[in-house]
Amino acid sequence: MMSMSHNAFSVSPGHPARPVESPPGAWRTLPFEGHFDLVYEDANGAWSNRSLSARELKLGPGRTLLGGIDARRGGYRGFRVDRIRRLTDGATGERIETGILDRLLGRAEAQRRADAVRIRRQTQARRRAQLSDAAATPPL
């Protein structure tokens, strides 16, 4: 059993560092943004219309949840993707009735890539600013 202080960054003396994999059955959370209108079927088979400001996509054992702020309930909710009957993108108006999980996963990956590019550009701009500040400062 792992100690409470063990994490992906801890190193055992005399052993090389290696990443700790998530245990089987663990949930994985992907950041996800967007506004969607959903037609959702609950566990009892009742359908409802929901408006969601999405925050994350949670992938777990046997199910995937689209989580965010539900305007109808005024709080955070997770919706099982397999129970979403129709998804309408608030930004584009695109209606999706089949392949919803694939579309959400594709969008999450596209958002991840865009965030990585944005972060890389910000880091490069900071480095350039530091170098130009250093070059402009006269030596002592």
Side-chain angles (χ1 to χ4, degrees):
M1 183 169 169
M2 282 189 212
S3 70
M4 294 297 285
S5 62
H6 183 66
N7 62 42
F9 302 106
S10 62
V11 178
S12 301
H15 295 357
R18 69 177 200 272
V20 176
E21 293 188 21
S22 299
W27 286 80
R28 187 172 144 216
T29 303
L30 305 174
F32 192 84
E33 293 184 21
H35 183 81
F36 301 96
D37 292 321
L38 314 173
V39 174
Y40 187 73
E41 182 178 1
D42 70 14
N44 297 321
W47 289 34
S48 62
N49 294 310
R50 302 297 181 96
S51 182
L52 183 74
S53 292
R55 300 289 184 256
E56 61 191 5
L57 196 58
K58 292 181 138 185
L59 305 147
R63 66 181 56 154
T64 302
L65 303 174
L66 177 60
I69 306 301
D70 179 6
R72 181 175 170 188
R73 294 237 176 133
Y76 182 90
R77 287 282 317 270
F79 294 94
R80 284 182 47 173
V81 173
D82 62 321
R83 292 185 182 162
I84 298 174
R85 300 299 170 230
R86 183 174 60 231
L87 182 77
T88 304
D89 187 325
T92 64
E94 179 184 19
R95 285 176 54 160
I96 306 163
E97 295 183 10
T98 60
I100 292 172
L101 176 58
D102 291 336
R103 286 291 189 82
L104 292 174
L105 288 171
R107 184 167 173 162
E109 177 61 17
Q111 287 179 0
R112 185 198 64 77
R113 275 190 246 122
D115 287 345
V117 168
R118 179 184 48 80
I119 291 167
R120 196 172 319 122
R121 286 183 180 154
Q122 288 173 343
T123 302
Q124 290 169 346
R126 262 184 271 167
R127 285 183 186 150
R128 282 192 298 272
Q130 289 171 347
L131 289 174
S132 67
D133 286 347
T137 305
L140 296 176

